[in-house]
Structure formats: structure tokens, C-alpha cells
Amino acid sequence: MFKREVQGVGALVMRNLRLQGLETPLLQKRLVEGWPTVAGDAIARHTTSVRIYNQTLYVQLRLPALRADLSMRRQELVKQLNDFVGAQVIADIRFG
């Protein structure tokens, strides 16, 4: 008798996405959609756009004071967002 390697459905789906080159875009989409959850509703209300380019999250904000405050918390937010998706998706955040 032979031994089978049992894997969960989630692991199989992620492996297939990785093989097809679709894992990173999926994780990036999850991270962008997770911005309001991680940042909070008050910050999300003042956010006009969120996008990722070259492992940098670009966040457009309406309030200059909020930009300055979030710039000081940049590394903390990077860690929280990467933890939210469960992978190292971004390395930096730029606020504009």
C-alpha cells in the first residue's frame, strides 16, 4: 500500500494560483480591499484611492494632517496589512 499526501483545498487552490502566476494579483487585491479594515473607518472615509505598484502601496488622502500622521505609522501599517493577507505583499506605503 502507498501513502498519500493529504492537503487541504485552500492549499491546493493557492498552489494552482501560484503555478499560473495569479497568486500575487489575488493577494494584492485582498490587501487593497483590506485597507478600510486595517486603517479604520475614519481613515477610509478620507481615502480617495488605493493601489499597489512595485510592492509599494500608494494611498491618496484628502487631509494633509492625516497624511503626516499616517506617514509616521508607515511601518506599523505595512506589517498589519501584510499580516491581514498572510503574505509579504508590500514593502512600503506612500501617502499623497
Side-chain angles (χ1 to χ4, degrees), residues 2-69:
F2 58 93
K3 184 177 178 181
R4 293 183 185 195
E5 184 179 324
V6 179
Q7 294 181 345
V9 174
L12 292 172
V13 169
M14 290 307 284
R15 189 179 89 210
N16 283 334
L17 288 172
R18 188 176 311 115
L19 290 173
Q20 295 175 13
L22 299 173
E23 180 184 33
T24 300
L26 176 65
L27 292 174
Q28 289 177 345
K29 182 179 183 318
R30 285 183 184 166
L31 190 135
V32 168
E33 289 176 351
W35 170 253
T37 304
V38 173
D41 289 335
I43 295 170
R45 278 193 301 261
H46 297 290
T47 301
T48 58
S49 73
V50 180
R51 64 185 176 85
I52 297 176
Y53 182 73
N54 286 341
Q55 290 189 326
T56 301
L57 181 69
Y58 291 90
V59 180
Q60 293 294 318
L61 300 165
R62 290 187 192 114
L63 302 175
L66 189 57
R67 278 184 229 136
D69 182 47

